[in-house]
Amino acid sequence: KEIVIDEFIGQSIPLTICGKNIVLILISFIIFRVFDILKIFPANVFDKKIEGVVGIIGDDIIAGLYTLLIIYLITIYI
């Protein structure tokens, strides 16, 4: 079986603050997928203009960081 390491790395970033909260984990997964699909700046630059490993993993790291920010804000206000 194949593991897509870039997706794993990107999704792992916001999970660092989710703890064992299943609701936050599910929200994190959904938000990460949205950011990964939309490729909001600067993720679109990594995806389209940077070749090699940095480009492949870079857009997922950025999606993960955006998701981390959203999850962090959720945890502050809840």
Side-chain angles (χ1 to χ4, degrees):
K1 294 184 179 186
E2 183 176 315
I3 296 175
V4 184
I5 194 70
D6 59 326
E7 300 292 329
F8 177 79
I9 292 169
Q11 183 63 70
S12 295
I13 294 170
L15 290 178
T16 60
I17 64 168
C18 290
K20 294 181 181 181
N21 187 328
I22 191 69
V23 174
L24 285 180
I25 292 170
L26 291 173
I27 292 170
S28 172
F29 176 75
I30 292 167
I31 294 172
F32 174 78
R33 292 307 309 143
V34 169
F35 282 133
D36 191 33
I37 291 167
L38 294 178
K39 302 215 186 297
I40 298 171
F41 181 81
N44 60 344
V45 174
F46 278 83
D47 185 52
K48 299 292 181 194
K49 306 229 183 224
I50 299 176
E51 295 186 19
V53 175
V54 174
I56 293 169
I57 296 176
D59 70 313
D60 291 300
I61 289 175
I62 292 168
L65 291 172
Y66 281 146
T67 305
L68 175 74
L69 177 63
I70 299 296
I71 296 297
Y72 177 72
L73 293 173
I74 289 171
T75 60
I76 287 177
Y77 292 109
I78 290 183

